[in-house]
Amino acid sequence: MKEALIIFVRRPELGKVKTRLASSIGDNAALFIYNKLLQHTKVISAITKAHKFIFYNEQIEKEDIWNGADYSKRIQNKDDLGGKMKVAFNEVFTIGYGKAVIIGSDCLELTAEIIIEAFQKLESTDLVIGPAKDGGYYLLGMKEEENRLFDNIVWSTETVYAETIERIKISNKTYSVLPLLNDIDTINDLSEALLKEISINL
């Protein structure tokens, strides 16, 4: 069964990434952190055997860290986050993939092993989800379209994960849960080591 890893990224542009974080540490530091997150996401995704799809928030970047030979490049749908994810999942299923996992580029704690585990868990369950400490999720995987998981949800709130699980249960689908990890969205999510790294490099 063909596997697709969907990766949502933003163009690393000053003043347009990690805006909540930037309100505390400034635009330059926020951009530094986001570039670090992108590099981490590239390293862990490269290890997986799944076909990798990069979905940009705006225009496709031909010359960036994502090698066009290894990453198929797409543009996210013009919708809220749920609509963007729904279209991305449906696109890879339409072209013949039997398992699809989506991640963002916000989690330094995410590892290649967890991504590989997500695909493995889809052998025995309908869905797999990785809860984030802020109440959202850092990973979602499925084997067929599950559009009801994306409609009419208030994104970037502490209830996203709980509401998604409730919808999975209502659908009578089986699911597996991955380890609880921390996304980086605000200054409270930064470790002392990261703060020190910012002070050294900026």
Side-chain angles (χ1 to χ4, degrees):
M1 188 179 293
K2 292 201 301 181
E3 298 176 347
L5 177 63
I6 300 166
I7 307 169
F8 271 22
V9 300
R10 301 184 69 84
R11 185 180 182 187
E13 189 174 353
L14 187 67
K16 294 188 177 181
V17 294
K18 292 296 165 195
T19 52
R20 281 191 288 168
L21 182 61
S23 66
S24 300
I25 65 174
D27 289 338
N28 286 302
L31 180 59
F32 174 82
I33 290 296
Y34 189 62
N35 277 315
K36 186 177 181 68
L37 285 163
L38 288 177
Q39 289 289 347
H40 173 76
T41 304
K42 180 187 177 184
V43 169
I44 62 173
S45 64
I47 298 171
T48 67
K49 295 180 179 179
H51 190 113
K52 291 167 273 289
F53 293 84
I54 294 291
F55 278 79
Y56 295 88
N57 66 312
E58 293 177 349
Q59 67 193 46
I60 290 176
E61 299 291 333
K62 293 182 179 179
E63 301 294 334
D64 60 6
I65 66 170
W66 311 102
N67 186 328
D70 300 319
Y71 296 86
S72 297
K73 299 187 175 187
R74 304 284 195 276
I75 297 178
Q76 296 170 25
N77 183 49
K78 301 298 182 183
D79 204 339
D80 67 2
L81 179 58
K84 292 175 189 290
M85 290 195 290
K86 177 169 64 176
V87 169
F89 270 114
N90 292 352
E91 181 173 334
V92 299
F93 287 134
T94 298
I95 59 178
Y97 289 86
K99 294 180 185 176
V101 165
I102 193 167
I103 61 172
S105 50
D106 300 309
C107 187
L108 279 178
E109 294 183 352
L110 182 59
T111 64
E113 289 74 21
I114 291 175
I115 296 173
I116 292 168
E117 181 184 357
F119 282 110
Q120 291 172 342
K121 286 184 179 299
L122 287 174
E123 292 289 339
S124 56
T125 59
D126 298 316
L127 296 111
V128 59
I129 189 166
K133 291 180 181 178
D134 63 3
Y137 54 80
Y138 60 85
L139 180 153
L140 182 67
M142 59 187 69
K143 294 183 286 192
E144 60 183 7
E145 297 175 9
E146 299 289 351
N147 292 340
R148 72 178 64 195
L149 302 184
F150 306 111
D151 296 330
N152 302 313
I153 285 183
V154 182
W155 300 98
S156 300
T157 63
E158 61 185 16
T159 61
V160 170
Y161 173 76
E163 186 167 353
T164 302
I165 292 297
E166 184 62 26
R167 293 188 184 196
I168 292 172
K169 291 178 178 178
I170 291 172
S171 301
N172 291 317
K173 299 289 185 177
T174 58
Y175 67 97
S176 298
V177 178
L178 297 167
L180 179 68
L181 301 182
N182 184 48
D183 277 342
I184 293 181
D185 291 309
T186 70
I187 192 170
N188 294 328
D189 300 322
L190 296 180
S191 65
E192 289 186 12
L194 277 177
L195 290 169
K196 184 176 181 180
E197 192 172 344
I198 291 170
S199 67
I200 292 172
N201 287 278
L202 296 178

